[in-house]
Amino acid sequence: MASGNFFKHWPTMLLGLIVAVILLTAVFSFQLNQTETAVLTTFGRPSVVSEPGLHFRWPFPFQEVYRFDKRIRCYEGSSGKLEETVTKDGHNIIVGIYVNYRIADVNAFFSKLKNVAGGEEMLNTLMRSAKNTAFGQRNFDQIVNENGKMLKLDAVTDDIKEALISATAKFGIEIVGVGINTLGVPKTVTEKVFERMIAERKQFADKNLAEGKREAKEIRVKADLERDTIIANAEAKAQKLRAEGDAAAAKFYKEFARDPELAGFLRKIDALRLIMEKGTTLVIDTNVPPFDLLKSDAVIPGAANSNAK
């Protein structure tokens, strides 16, 4: 009879046993993921558990588990994460920054800050101080400027990062990166900023215009000099050729001076050769030089002397 009741209720007993095992496992163990590190306290004394998997523990109040994410966290600050700060030359700007960090030393982080909320509260204070200090060391035109060469934002974020690394190292926090997610100016100074930017652009334009005019003048002067040099060389060459021609012509003039009639006759012959070299048909007056040579009674210089001889 008793054995019959046992077999009758064995599914319920098995289910109860499974539930008990599950409860005991949950009470006396904990599961650690790949992305987590845990601090296991035994009567308040901490020890770090970093291996993922199932781990044994005594139930509360003997032991307690505190889990921490090993991955990089992005934190923008809490109170005053978007607030005004003052530059070195006294201008107000609106700045918001973010910090990428991770818990590198869980033991140090837990012993001094207890949890992530406490760590980020401390980090928020350090971020505000480092931000105000870094921006307070730069002039306004190094923060807001259309000329990228004058901007020093990379140097500002580097200064903030170095300050945070130095301040958070003892808390087991590793600062991976720092960035600026918001940057602006209050409405009270916006117009002045625009006026200054317009003045800078006008000054830049005037400078470029003056340089253009100077270069244009230099080009014109150079071109005029080259033109004058070419003209002078050409005139010198022409004078030389004229002198050479005059010298050569002087020899012929000297010969022609001995017999002017022969000189005139030769010039007429040259003129006829040029006119009639293409077989031109002319209707002319033979009394007009040099066509008077075509007349039958044309006088040939020197012919009379030769006949007389």
Side-chain angles (χ1 to χ4, degrees):
M1 186 77 177
S3 60
N5 291 333
F6 173 79
F7 285 109
K8 181 179 180 181
H9 297 287
W10 76 266
T12 305
M13 297 175 63
L14 180 60
L15 180 60
L17 180 61
I18 293 173
V19 171
V21 170
I22 294 174
L23 289 176
L24 289 174
T25 301
V27 172
F28 288 94
S29 67
F30 65 95
Q31 180 74 24
L32 197 62
N33 296 328
Q34 291 280 354
T35 59
E36 293 179 322
T37 302
V39 174
L40 182 63
T41 60
T42 304
F43 297 109
R45 186 180 63 189
S47 61
V48 177
V49 180
S50 57
E51 292 295 328
L54 191 65
H55 298 272
F56 174 81
R57 67 156 183 177
W58 290 105
F60 181 82
F62 302 103
Q63 287 185 325
E64 192 171 358
V65 179
Y66 298 88
R67 300 171 184 271
F68 297 95
D69 198 328
K70 296 189 295 184
R71 293 173 295 183
I72 296 174
R73 299 173 62 88
C74 182
Y75 181 60
E76 296 182 345
S78 54
S79 61
K81 64 180 180 180
L82 189 62
E83 61 184 1
E84 289 190 16
T85 186
V86 182
T87 61
K88 183 179 180 180
D89 50 357
H91 292 280
N92 289 350
I93 56 175
I94 300 174
V95 181
I97 66 172
Y98 66 89
V99 173
N100 294 328
Y101 78 96
R102 63 184 168 199
I103 302 172
D105 187 346
V106 177
N107 192 29
F109 185 87
F110 175 77
S111 62
K112 296 181 179 180
L113 302 172
K114 297 302 180 184
N115 51 42
V116 172
E120 291 188 345
E121 183 179 355
M122 178 273 304
L123 187 58
N124 179 71
T125 302
L126 296 177
M127 287 170 61
R128 176 182 292 178
S129 176
K131 175 184 66 176
N132 292 338
T133 300
F135 280 97
Q137 293 175 350
R138 267 78 183 184
N139 291 327
F140 183 80
D141 57 3
Q142 295 177 313
I143 308 301
V144 179
N145 202 310
E146 76 280 2
N147 185 358
K149 295 181 180 180
M150 295 185 63
L151 294 177
K152 300 296 182 182
L153 293 178
D154 290 340
V156 170
T157 55
D158 289 341
D159 289 350
I160 296 174
K161 182 179 178 180
E162 291 179 4
L164 292 178
I165 289 175
S166 177
T168 59
K170 60 184 177 181
F171 297 104
I173 296 175
E174 177 187 356
I175 303 298
V176 179
V178 174
I180 300 172
N181 54 13
T182 304
L183 179 62
V185 294
K187 293 182 179 179
T188 54
V189 298
T190 301
E191 293 182 0
K192 293 182 179 179
V193 172
F194 286 155
E195 290 175 359
R196 182 181 60 81
M197 292 174 65
I198 292 172
E200 290 179 354
R201 297 308 298 173
K202 186 177 183 302
Q203 183 180 3
F204 180 74
D206 292 342
K207 180 182 178 181
N208 286 342
L209 183 60
E211 290 180 355
K213 289 181 178 179
R214 178 181 57 79
E215 292 179 0
K217 183 178 180 180
E218 291 178 355
I219 293 172
R220 284 195 295 270
V221 170
K222 184 178 180 181
D224 292 342
L225 180 61
E226 291 178 354
R227 180 201 62 194
D228 295 342
T229 301
I230 293 172
I231 292 174
N233 291 336
E235 289 179 350
K237 187 174 182 179
Q239 290 178 359
K240 181 180 179 181
L241 293 175
R242 281 197 296 268
E244 291 176 354
D246 291 343
K251 295 179 181 179
F252 293 101
Y253 291 153
K254 186 176 181 181
E255 295 296 329
F256 289 157
R258 296 177 182 178
D259 193 344
E261 292 183 359
L262 178 60
F265 175 76
L266 293 176
R267 285 183 177 274
K268 291 178 181 181
I269 292 295
D270 290 336
L272 286 173
R273 184 182 297 111
L274 293 173
I275 294 172
M276 305 178 67
E277 65 180 357
K278 295 183 180 180
T280 306
T281 301
L282 301 173
V283 179
I284 57 175
D285 184 358
T286 55
N287 293 321
V288 178
F291 303 109
D292 58 344
L293 293 179
L294 301 178
K295 296 170 61 177
S296 60
D297 58 347
V299 179
I300 301 174
N305 294 336
S306 60
N307 291 333
K309 292 179 179 181

